[in-house]
Amino acid sequence: MPLFLLGALLGALSGAGTYALTAEAQLAAIVAAVAAVLTWCGVAAVVFVDN
Protein backbone atom coordinates (compact mmCIF):
# COMPACT_ATOMS: atom_id res chain seq x y z
CA MET A 1 0.00 0.00 0.00
CA PRO A 2 2.79 2.52 0.72
CA LEU A 3 4.20 1.92 -2.77
CA PHE A 4 0.82 2.66 -4.32
CA LEU A 5 0.53 5.86 -2.30
CA LEU A 6 4.07 6.90 -3.25
CA GLY A 7 3.28 6.44 -6.93
CA ALA A 8 0.01 8.32 -6.60
CA LEU A 9 1.71 11.16 -4.71
CA LEU A 10 4.54 11.49 -7.23
CA GLY A 11 2.05 11.35 -10.08
CA ALA A 12 -0.08 14.05 -8.51
CA LEU A 13 2.93 16.29 -7.89
CA SER A 14 4.18 15.80 -11.43
CA GLY A 15 0.76 16.49 -12.90
CA ALA A 16 0.27 19.57 -10.76
CA GLY A 17 3.69 20.92 -11.69
CA THR A 18 3.05 20.31 -15.37
CA TYR A 19 -0.34 22.00 -15.18
CA ALA A 20 1.14 24.98 -13.32
CA LEU A 21 3.81 25.44 -15.99
CA THR A 22 1.76 24.74 -19.12
CA ALA A 23 -1.95 25.17 -18.20
CA GLU A 24 -2.68 22.12 -20.38
CA ALA A 25 -4.96 19.77 -18.46
CA GLN A 26 -4.64 16.83 -20.85
CA LEU A 27 -0.85 16.98 -20.87
CA ALA A 28 -0.80 17.22 -17.06
CA ALA A 29 -3.01 14.12 -16.78
CA ILE A 30 -0.74 12.16 -19.10
CA VAL A 31 2.38 13.23 -17.21
CA ALA A 32 0.76 12.28 -13.89
CA ALA A 33 -0.21 8.83 -15.13
CA VAL A 34 3.21 8.18 -16.65
CA ALA A 35 5.00 9.30 -13.47
CA ALA A 36 2.84 7.06 -11.29
CA VAL A 37 3.28 3.99 -13.52
CA LEU A 38 7.03 4.52 -13.86
CA THR A 39 7.32 4.79 -10.09
CA TRP A 40 5.50 1.50 -9.61
CA CYS A 41 7.45 -0.24 -12.39
CA GLY A 42 10.77 1.16 -11.22
CA VAL A 43 10.33 -0.06 -7.69
CA ALA A 44 9.09 -3.43 -8.93
CA ALA A 45 12.16 -3.71 -11.15
CA VAL A 46 14.45 -2.96 -8.21
CA VAL A 47 12.74 -5.63 -6.11
CA PHE A 48 12.88 -8.14 -8.99
CA VAL A 49 16.57 -7.51 -9.68
CA ASP A 50 17.42 -7.59 -5.97
CA ASN A 51 16.04 -11.13 -5.65
CSV table of all heavy atoms in Angstrom, one decimal:
chain,number,residue,atom,x,y,z
A,1,MET,N,0.8,-1.2,0.0
A,1,MET,CA,0.0,0.0,0.0
A,1,MET,C,0.9,1.3,0.0
A,1,MET,O,0.5,2.2,-0.7
A,1,MET,CB,-0.9,0.0,1.2
A,1,MET,CG,-1.9,1.1,1.2
A,1,MET,SD,-3.1,0.9,-0.1
A,1,MET,CE,-4.2,2.1,0.3
A,2,PRO,N,2.0,1.3,0.8
A,2,PRO,CA,2.8,2.5,0.7
A,2,PRO,C,3.4,2.8,-0.7
A,2,PRO,O,3.5,3.9,-1.1
A,2,PRO,CB,3.9,2.2,1.7
A,2,PRO,CG,3.4,1.2,2.6
A,2,PRO,CD,2.4,0.4,1.8
A,3,LEU,N,3.7,1.7,-1.4
A,3,LEU,CA,4.2,1.9,-2.8
A,3,LEU,C,3.1,2.5,-3.7
A,3,LEU,O,3.4,3.4,-4.5
A,3,LEU,CB,4.7,0.6,-3.3
A,3,LEU,CG,5.2,0.6,-4.8
A,3,LEU,CD1,6.3,1.6,-4.9
A,3,LEU,CD2,5.6,-0.8,-5.2
A,4,PHE,N,1.9,2.1,-3.5
A,4,PHE,CA,0.8,2.7,-4.3
A,4,PHE,C,0.7,4.1,-4.0
A,4,PHE,O,0.5,5.0,-4.9
A,4,PHE,CB,-0.5,1.9,-4.0
A,4,PHE,CG,-1.7,2.6,-4.7
A,4,PHE,CD1,-1.9,2.4,-6.1
A,4,PHE,CD2,-2.5,3.4,-4.0
A,4,PHE,CE1,-3.0,2.9,-6.7
A,4,PHE,CE2,-3.6,4.0,-4.6
A,4,PHE,CZ,-3.8,3.8,-6.0
A,5,LEU,N,0.7,4.5,-2.7
A,5,LEU,CA,0.5,5.9,-2.3
A,5,LEU,C,1.7,6.7,-2.8
A,5,LEU,O,1.5,7.9,-3.2
A,5,LEU,CB,0.4,6.0,-0.8
A,5,LEU,CG,-0.9,5.3,-0.2
A,5,LEU,CD1,-0.9,5.4,1.3
A,5,LEU,CD2,-2.1,6.0,-0.8
A,6,LEU,N,2.9,6.2,-2.8
A,6,LEU,CA,4.1,6.9,-3.3
A,6,LEU,C,3.9,7.2,-4.7
A,6,LEU,O,4.2,8.3,-5.2
A,6,LEU,CB,5.3,6.1,-3.0
A,6,LEU,CG,6.6,6.7,-3.6
A,6,LEU,CD1,7.0,8.0,-2.9
A,6,LEU,CD2,7.8,5.7,-3.5
A,7,GLY,N,3.5,6.2,-5.5
A,7,GLY,CA,3.3,6.4,-6.9
A,7,GLY,C,2.2,7.5,-7.2
A,7,GLY,O,2.3,8.3,-8.1
A,8,ALA,N,1.1,7.4,-6.4
A,8,ALA,CA,0.0,8.3,-6.6
A,8,ALA,C,0.4,9.7,-6.2
A,8,ALA,O,0.1,10.7,-6.9
A,8,ALA,CB,-1.2,7.9,-5.7
A,9,LEU,N,1.2,9.8,-5.1
A,9,LEU,CA,1.7,11.2,-4.7
A,9,LEU,C,2.7,11.8,-5.7
A,9,LEU,O,2.5,12.9,-6.1
A,9,LEU,CB,2.4,11.0,-3.4
A,9,LEU,CG,3.0,12.3,-2.8
A,9,LEU,CD1,1.9,13.3,-2.5
A,9,LEU,CD2,3.9,12.0,-1.6
A,10,LEU,N,3.6,11.0,-6.2
A,10,LEU,CA,4.5,11.5,-7.2
A,10,LEU,C,3.8,11.8,-8.5
A,10,LEU,O,4.2,12.8,-9.2
A,10,LEU,CB,5.7,10.5,-7.5
A,10,LEU,CG,6.6,10.3,-6.3
A,10,LEU,CD1,7.6,9.2,-6.7
A,10,LEU,CD2,7.4,11.6,-6.0
A,11,GLY,N,2.8,11.0,-8.9
A,11,GLY,CA,2.1,11.3,-10.1
A,11,GLY,C,1.3,12.6,-9.9
A,11,GLY,O,1.2,13.5,-10.8
A,12,ALA,N,0.7,12.8,-8.8
A,12,ALA,CA,-0.1,14.1,-8.5
A,12,ALA,C,0.8,15.3,-8.5
A,12,ALA,O,0.5,16.3,-9.1
A,12,ALA,CB,-0.8,13.9,-7.2
A,13,LEU,N,2.0,15.2,-7.9
A,13,LEU,CA,2.9,16.3,-7.9
A,13,LEU,C,3.4,16.6,-9.3
A,13,LEU,O,3.5,17.8,-9.7
A,13,LEU,CB,4.1,16.0,-7.0
A,13,LEU,CG,3.8,16.0,-5.5
A,13,LEU,CD1,5.0,15.5,-4.7
A,13,LEU,CD2,3.4,17.4,-5.0
A,14,SER,N,3.7,15.6,-10.1
A,14,SER,CA,4.2,15.8,-11.4
A,14,SER,C,3.1,16.4,-12.3
A,14,SER,O,3.3,17.3,-13.1
A,14,SER,CB,4.6,14.5,-12.1
A,14,SER,OG,5.7,13.9,-11.4
A,15,GLY,N,1.9,15.9,-12.1
A,15,GLY,CA,0.8,16.5,-12.9
A,15,GLY,C,0.5,17.9,-12.5
A,15,GLY,O,0.2,18.8,-13.4
A,16,ALA,N,0.5,18.2,-11.2
A,16,ALA,CA,0.3,19.6,-10.8
A,16,ALA,C,1.4,20.5,-11.2
A,16,ALA,O,1.1,21.7,-11.7
A,16,ALA,CB,0.2,19.6,-9.2
A,17,GLY,N,2.6,20.1,-11.2
A,17,GLY,CA,3.7,20.9,-11.7
A,17,GLY,C,3.6,21.2,-13.2
A,17,GLY,O,3.8,22.3,-13.6
A,18,THR,N,3.2,20.1,-13.9
A,18,THR,CA,3.1,20.3,-15.4
A,18,THR,C,1.9,21.3,-15.7
A,18,THR,O,2.0,22.1,-16.5
A,18,THR,CB,2.8,18.9,-16.0
A,18,THR,OG1,3.9,18.1,-15.8
A,18,THR,CG2,2.6,19.1,-17.5
A,19,TYR,N,0.8,21.1,-15.0
A,19,TYR,CA,-0.3,22.0,-15.2
A,19,TYR,C,0.0,23.4,-14.8
A,19,TYR,O,-0.4,24.4,-15.5
A,19,TYR,CB,-1.6,21.5,-14.4
A,19,TYR,CG,-2.8,22.4,-14.7
A,19,TYR,CD1,-3.5,22.2,-15.9
A,19,TYR,CD2,-3.2,23.3,-13.8
A,19,TYR,CE1,-4.6,23.0,-16.2
A,19,TYR,CE2,-4.3,24.1,-14.0
A,19,TYR,CZ,-5.0,23.9,-15.2
A,19,TYR,OH,-6.1,24.7,-15.5
A,20,ALA,N,0.8,23.6,-13.7
A,20,ALA,CA,1.1,25.0,-13.3
A,20,ALA,C,2.0,25.6,-14.4
A,20,ALA,O,1.9,26.9,-14.6
A,20,ALA,CB,1.9,24.9,-12.0
A,21,LEU,N,2.9,24.9,-15.0
A,21,LEU,CA,3.8,25.4,-16.0
A,21,LEU,C,3.2,25.6,-17.4
A,21,LEU,O,3.6,26.5,-18.1
A,21,LEU,CB,5.1,24.6,-16.1
A,21,LEU,CG,6.0,24.6,-14.8
A,21,LEU,CD1,7.1,23.6,-15.0
A,21,LEU,CD2,6.5,25.9,-14.6
A,22,THR,N,2.3,24.7,-17.8
A,22,THR,CA,1.8,24.7,-19.1
A,22,THR,C,0.3,25.1,-19.3
A,22,THR,O,-0.1,25.5,-20.3
A,22,THR,CB,2.0,23.4,-19.8
A,22,THR,OG1,1.2,22.4,-19.1
A,22,THR,CG2,3.4,23.0,-19.8
A,23,ALA,N,-0.5,24.9,-18.2
A,23,ALA,CA,-2.0,25.2,-18.2
A,23,ALA,C,-2.7,24.3,-19.2
A,23,ALA,O,-3.7,24.6,-19.7
A,23,ALA,CB,-2.3,26.6,-18.5
A,24,GLU,N,-2.1,23.1,-19.5
A,24,GLU,CA,-2.7,22.1,-20.4
A,24,GLU,C,-3.1,20.9,-19.5
A,24,GLU,O,-2.3,20.2,-19.0
A,24,GLU,CB,-1.7,21.6,-21.4
A,24,GLU,CG,-1.3,22.7,-22.4
A,24,GLU,CD,-2.3,22.9,-23.5
A,24,GLU,OE1,-3.2,22.0,-23.7
A,24,GLU,OE2,-2.4,24.0,-24.1
A,25,ALA,N,-4.4,20.8,-19.3
A,25,ALA,CA,-5.0,19.8,-18.5
A,25,ALA,C,-4.7,18.4,-19.0
A,25,ALA,O,-4.3,17.5,-18.2
A,25,ALA,CB,-6.5,20.0,-18.3
A,26,GLN,N,-4.8,18.2,-20.3
A,26,GLN,CA,-4.6,16.8,-20.8
A,26,GLN,C,-3.2,16.4,-20.7
A,26,GLN,O,-2.9,15.3,-20.4
A,26,GLN,CB,-5.1,16.8,-22.3
A,26,GLN,CG,-5.1,15.4,-22.9
A,26,GLN,CD,-5.7,15.4,-24.3
A,26,GLN,OE1,-6.0,16.4,-24.9
A,26,GLN,NE2,-6.0,14.2,-24.8
A,27,LEU,N,-2.3,17.3,-21.0
A,27,LEU,CA,-0.9,17.0,-20.9
A,27,LEU,C,-0.5,16.7,-19.4
A,27,LEU,O,0.2,15.7,-19.1
A,27,LEU,CB,0.0,18.2,-21.4
A,27,LEU,CG,1.5,18.0,-21.2
A,27,LEU,CD1,2.0,16.8,-22.0
A,27,LEU,CD2,2.2,19.3,-21.6
A,28,ALA,N,-1.1,17.4,-18.5
A,28,ALA,CA,-0.8,17.2,-17.1
A,28,ALA,C,-1.3,15.8,-16.6
A,28,ALA,O,-0.6,15.2,-15.8
A,28,ALA,CB,-1.5,18.3,-16.2
A,29,ALA,N,-2.5,15.4,-17.1
A,29,ALA,CA,-3.0,14.1,-16.8
A,29,ALA,C,-2.1,13.0,-17.3
A,29,ALA,O,-1.9,12.0,-16.6
A,29,ALA,CB,-4.4,14.0,-17.3
A,30,ILE,N,-1.6,13.2,-18.5
A,30,ILE,CA,-0.7,12.2,-19.1
A,30,ILE,C,0.6,12.1,-18.3
A,30,ILE,O,1.0,11.0,-18.0
A,30,ILE,CB,-0.5,12.5,-20.6
A,30,ILE,CG1,-1.7,12.3,-21.4
A,30,ILE,CG2,0.7,11.6,-21.1
A,30,ILE,CD1,-1.7,12.8,-22.8
A,31,VAL,N,1.1,13.2,-18.0
A,31,VAL,CA,2.4,13.2,-17.2
A,31,VAL,C,2.2,12.6,-15.8
A,31,VAL,O,3.0,11.8,-15.4
A,31,VAL,CB,2.9,14.7,-17.1
A,31,VAL,CG1,4.0,14.8,-16.0
A,31,VAL,CG2,3.4,15.2,-18.4
A,32,ALA,N,1.0,12.9,-15.2
A,32,ALA,CA,0.8,12.3,-13.9
A,32,ALA,C,0.7,10.8,-14.0
A,32,ALA,O,1.2,10.0,-13.1
A,32,ALA,CB,-0.5,12.9,-13.3
A,33,ALA,N,-0.1,10.3,-15.0
A,33,ALA,CA,-0.2,8.8,-15.1
A,33,ALA,C,1.1,8.2,-15.4
A,33,ALA,O,1.4,7.1,-14.9
A,33,ALA,CB,-1.2,8.5,-16.2
A,34,VAL,N,1.9,8.8,-16.3
A,34,VAL,CA,3.2,8.2,-16.6
A,34,VAL,C,4.1,8.2,-15.4
A,34,VAL,O,4.8,7.2,-15.2
A,34,VAL,CB,3.8,8.9,-17.8
A,34,VAL,CG1,5.3,8.6,-18.0
A,34,VAL,CG2,3.1,8.7,-19.1
A,35,ALA,N,4.1,9.2,-14.7
A,35,ALA,CA,5.0,9.3,-13.5
A,35,ALA,C,4.6,8.2,-12.5
A,35,ALA,O,5.5,7.6,-11.9
A,35,ALA,CB,4.9,10.7,-12.8
A,36,ALA,N,3.3,8.1,-12.3
A,36,ALA,CA,2.8,7.1,-11.3
A,36,ALA,C,3.2,5.6,-11.7
A,36,ALA,O,3.7,4.9,-11.0
A,36,ALA,CB,1.3,7.2,-11.1
A,37,VAL,N,3.0,5.3,-13.0
A,37,VAL,CA,3.3,4.0,-13.5
A,37,VAL,C,4.8,3.7,-13.5
A,37,VAL,O,5.2,2.6,-13.1
A,37,VAL,CB,2.7,3.8,-14.9
A,37,VAL,CG1,3.2,2.5,-15.6
A,37,VAL,CG2,1.2,3.8,-14.9
A,38,LEU,N,5.6,4.7,-13.9
A,38,LEU,CA,7.0,4.5,-13.9
A,38,LEU,C,7.5,4.3,-12.4
A,38,LEU,O,8.5,3.6,-12.2
A,38,LEU,CB,7.7,5.7,-14.5
A,38,LEU,CG,7.6,5.7,-16.1
A,38,LEU,CD1,8.3,7.0,-16.6
A,38,LEU,CD2,8.2,4.5,-16.7
A,39,THR,N,6.9,5.0,-11.5
A,39,THR,CA,7.3,4.8,-10.1
A,39,THR,C,7.0,3.4,-9.7
A,39,THR,O,7.9,2.7,-9.1
A,39,THR,CB,6.6,5.7,-9.2
A,39,THR,OG1,6.9,7.1,-9.5
A,39,THR,CG2,6.9,5.5,-7.7
A,40,TRP,N,5.9,2.9,-10.0
A,40,TRP,CA,5.5,1.5,-9.6
A,40,TRP,C,6.4,0.5,-10.3
A,40,TRP,O,6.9,-0.5,-9.7
A,40,TRP,CB,4.0,1.2,-9.9
A,40,TRP,CG,3.1,2.1,-9.1
A,40,TRP,CD1,3.3,2.5,-7.8
A,40,TRP,CD2,1.8,2.6,-9.6
A,40,TRP,NE1,2.2,3.3,-7.5
A,40,TRP,CE2,1.3,3.4,-8.5
A,40,TRP,CE3,1.1,2.5,-10.7
A,40,TRP,CZ2,0.1,4.0,-8.6
A,40,TRP,CZ3,-0.1,3.2,-10.8
A,40,TRP,CH2,-0.6,3.9,-9.8
A,41,CYS,N,6.6,0.7,-11.6
A,41,CYS,CA,7.5,-0.2,-12.4
A,41,CYS,C,8.9,-0.2,-12.0
A,41,CYS,O,9.6,-1.2,-11.9
A,41,CYS,CB,7.3,0.1,-13.9
A,41,CYS,SG,5.7,-0.4,-14.6
A,42,GLY,N,9.4,1.0,-11.7
A,42,GLY,CA,10.8,1.2,-11.2
A,42,GLY,C,11.0,0.5,-9.9
A,42,GLY,O,12.1,-0.2,-9.8
A,43,VAL,N,10.2,0.6,-9.0
A,43,VAL,CA,10.3,-0.1,-7.7
A,43,VAL,C,10.2,-1.6,-7.9
A,43,VAL,O,10.9,-2.3,-7.3
A,43,VAL,CB,9.3,0.5,-6.6
A,43,VAL,CG1,9.4,-0.3,-5.4
A,43,VAL,CG2,9.7,2.0,-6.4
A,44,ALA,N,9.3,-2.0,-8.7
A,44,ALA,CA,9.1,-3.4,-8.9
A,44,ALA,C,10.3,-4.0,-9.6
A,44,ALA,O,10.7,-5.1,-9.3
A,44,ALA,CB,7.9,-3.7,-9.8
A,45,ALA,N,10.9,-3.2,-10.5
A,45,ALA,CA,12.2,-3.7,-11.2
A,45,ALA,C,13.3,-3.8,-10.2
A,45,ALA,O,14.1,-4.8,-10.2
A,45,ALA,CB,12.5,-2.8,-12.3
A,46,VAL,N,13.4,-2.9,-9.2
A,46,VAL,CA,14.5,-3.0,-8.2
A,46,VAL,C,14.3,-4.2,-7.3
A,46,VAL,O,15.2,-4.9,-7.0
A,46,VAL,CB,14.5,-1.7,-7.4
A,46,VAL,CG1,15.4,-1.8,-6.2
A,46,VAL,CG2,14.9,-0.5,-8.2
A,47,VAL,N,13.0,-4.5,-6.9
A,47,VAL,CA,12.7,-5.6,-6.1
A,47,VAL,C,13.0,-6.9,-6.9
A,47,VAL,O,13.6,-7.9,-6.4
A,47,VAL,CB,11.3,-5.6,-5.6
A,47,VAL,CG1,10.9,-6.9,-5.0
A,47,VAL,CG2,11.1,-4.5,-4.7
A,48,PHE,N,12.7,-7.0,-8.2
A,48,PHE,CA,12.9,-8.1,-9.0
A,48,PHE,C,14.4,-8.4,-9.2
A,48,PHE,O,14.8,-9.5,-9.1
A,48,PHE,CB,12.2,-8.0,-10.3
A,48,PHE,CG,12.4,-9.1,-11.2
A,48,PHE,CD1,11.7,-10.3,-11.0
A,48,PHE,CD2,13.2,-9.1,-12.4
A,48,PHE,CE1,11.8,-11.4,-11.8
A,48,PHE,CE2,13.3,-10.2,-13.2
A,48,PHE,CZ,12.7,-11.3,-12.9
A,49,VAL,N,15.1,-7.4,-9.4
A,49,VAL,CA,16.6,-7.5,-9.7
A,49,VAL,C,17.3,-7.9,-8.4
A,49,VAL,O,18.3,-8.6,-8.4
A,49,VAL,CB,17.2,-6.2,-10.3
A,49,VAL,CG1,18.7,-6.2,-10.3
A,49,VAL,CG2,16.6,-6.0,-11.7
A,50,ASP,N,16.8,-7.3,-7.3
A,50,ASP,CA,17.4,-7.6,-6.0
A,50,ASP,C,17.3,-9.1,-5.6
A,50,ASP,O,18.2,-9.6,-4.9
A,50,ASP,CB,16.8,-6.7,-4.9
A,50,ASP,CG,17.6,-6.8,-3.6
A,50,ASP,OD1,18.8,-6.8,-3.6
A,50,ASP,OD2,16.9,-6.7,-2.5
A,51,ASN,N,16.2,-9.7,-6.0
A,51,ASN,CA,16.0,-11.1,-5.6
A,51,ASN,C,16.9,-11.9,-6.6
A,51,ASN,O,17.4,-12.9,-6.6
A,51,ASN,CB,14.6,-11.6,-5.8
A,51,ASN,CG,13.8,-11.0,-4.7
A,51,ASN,OD1,14.3,-10.7,-3.6
A,51,ASN,ND2,12.5,-10.7,-5.0
